[in-house]
Amino acid sequence: MSTGVRRRMGVEERRQQLIGVALDLFSRRSPDEVSIDEIATAAGISRPLVYHYFPGKLSLYEAALKRASEDLAARFAEPHEGPLGARLLRVMCRYFDFVDEHGPGFAALMRGGPAVSADGIGTKAHVSTTNALIDSVRQAAYEQILAHLGVLDASPRLELVVRSWISLAESTALLWLDGRRVPRAELELQLVHDFAALVAVSAAYDADMATLLKQMVKDEPADGTFAELVGRLIALAP
């Protein structure tokens, strides 16, 4: 029989609960539209108690963004086993899982946060913090892709390809959120094909990139992700 007595949370446990609640709310609506009162109600505590753990909505928002950025960066982690195309497709699937689950929050993160408000969201210091979080996600993704390619020190051309592809994935996801007019699964596959295409174009100008391209496709099965791209391109030929 339950006594109805709630267990009292420790300081860090309560902070993590509030971050989780705030992240959920910020994921569904623009941060400017979420109030401290809503966060307090969702957490089952009073408004003053929220301020006991966080000075204001800005600090809570930044904590939520930090957790979101760490989660997003982790989506690029993938065992280095099997064909590269299949690995990248699984990464893109997890990436779009995040985008799907945290639409408004993802948009706010990638666009540098919401506009200036009475709560201080959007101040120069906040924008700087947000940009640092975005850069940490991009860097984590960059390092993960290099690891999948088996490259320790990227050449200038390879760095350009990988960073360009990461930017393409970001912009594609943001455009997809605006109406979701293209089937998600098609975009995930297209982005993997985009990566192969970027490498192939660069390979036409650089011998090292040509060698990398050969390594990428040598273990690709006949029905693999990269092989599908070749099949689609051949089908376009007259």
Side-chain angles (χ1 to χ4, degrees):
M1 178 177 178
S2 174
T3 62
V5 176
R6 294 184 179 180
R7 180 179 64 83
R8 184 171 182 175
M9 292 186 182
V11 173
E12 185 56 27
E13 186 180 7
R14 177 66 77 182
R15 279 178 56 85
Q16 293 305 315
Q17 183 220 14
L18 285 170
I19 291 171
V21 167
L23 179 58
D24 180 60
L25 291 171
F26 292 146
S27 294
R28 289 186 274 115
R29 305 210 319 274
S30 169
D32 280 340
E33 299 174 358
V34 178
S35 69
I36 288 291
D37 287 330
E38 285 183 84
I39 295 170
T41 299
I45 61 177
S46 66
R47 175 189 175 96
L49 195 54
V50 175
Y51 285 110
H52 175 74
Y53 293 99
F54 292 93
K57 191 168 79 169
L58 173 60
S59 61
L60 184 51
Y61 177 64
E62 289 182 346
L65 278 186
K66 185 174 187 298
R67 180 183 290 185
S69 66
E70 291 169 350
D71 183 5
L72 182 55
R75 304 293 173 116
F76 285 87
E78 171 72 23
H80 298 176
E81 301 171 356
L84 178 62
R87 284 184 255 160
L88 291 181
L89 187 58
R90 289 192 291 271
V91 166
M92 283 296 96
C93 182
R94 288 196 300 272
Y95 183 79
F96 271 84
D97 280 345
F98 181 94
V99 174
D100 204 8
E101 294 163 9
H102 304 286
F106 173 82
L109 176 64
M110 290 302 153
R111 288 172 175 150
V116 175
S117 72
D119 292 288
I121 301 288
T123 61
K124 288 184 178 180
H126 164 68
V127 171
S128 177
T129 299
T130 303
N131 288 340
L133 290 173
I134 296 170
D135 287 342
S136 71
V137 173
R138 290 169 177 158
Q139 185 61 25
Y142 174 73
E143 292 172 0
Q144 285 286 350
I145 298 304
L146 289 188
H148 282 291
L149 295 172
V151 175
L152 295 177
D153 186 18
S155 67
R157 286 185 186 274
L158 179 56
E159 180 174 3
L160 178 62
V161 164
V162 176
R163 294 197 185 279
S164 296
W165 181 70
I166 292 169
S167 295
L168 178 61
E170 291 175 12
S171 59
T172 298
L174 287 170
L175 287 169
W176 177 74
L177 281 173
D178 185 18
R180 309 186 185 211
R181 291 164 290 180
V182 179
R184 172 184 150 176
E186 290 183 15
L187 285 182
E188 292 168 1
L189 179 61
Q190 182 178 317
L191 280 166
V192 177
H193 288 170
D194 286 335
F195 181 79
L198 286 169
V199 174
V201 170
S202 188
Y205 294 87
D206 184 84
D208 289 338
M209 291 299 293
T211 298
L212 178 63
L213 179 63
K214 292 175 183 176
Q215 292 174 348
M216 283 173 51
V217 300
K218 71 180 178 67
D219 294 326
E220 187 75 8
D223 60 348
T225 308
F226 291 153
E228 181 180 347
L229 171 61
V230 174
R232 286 175 180 268
L233 291 174
I234 291 175
L236 295 176

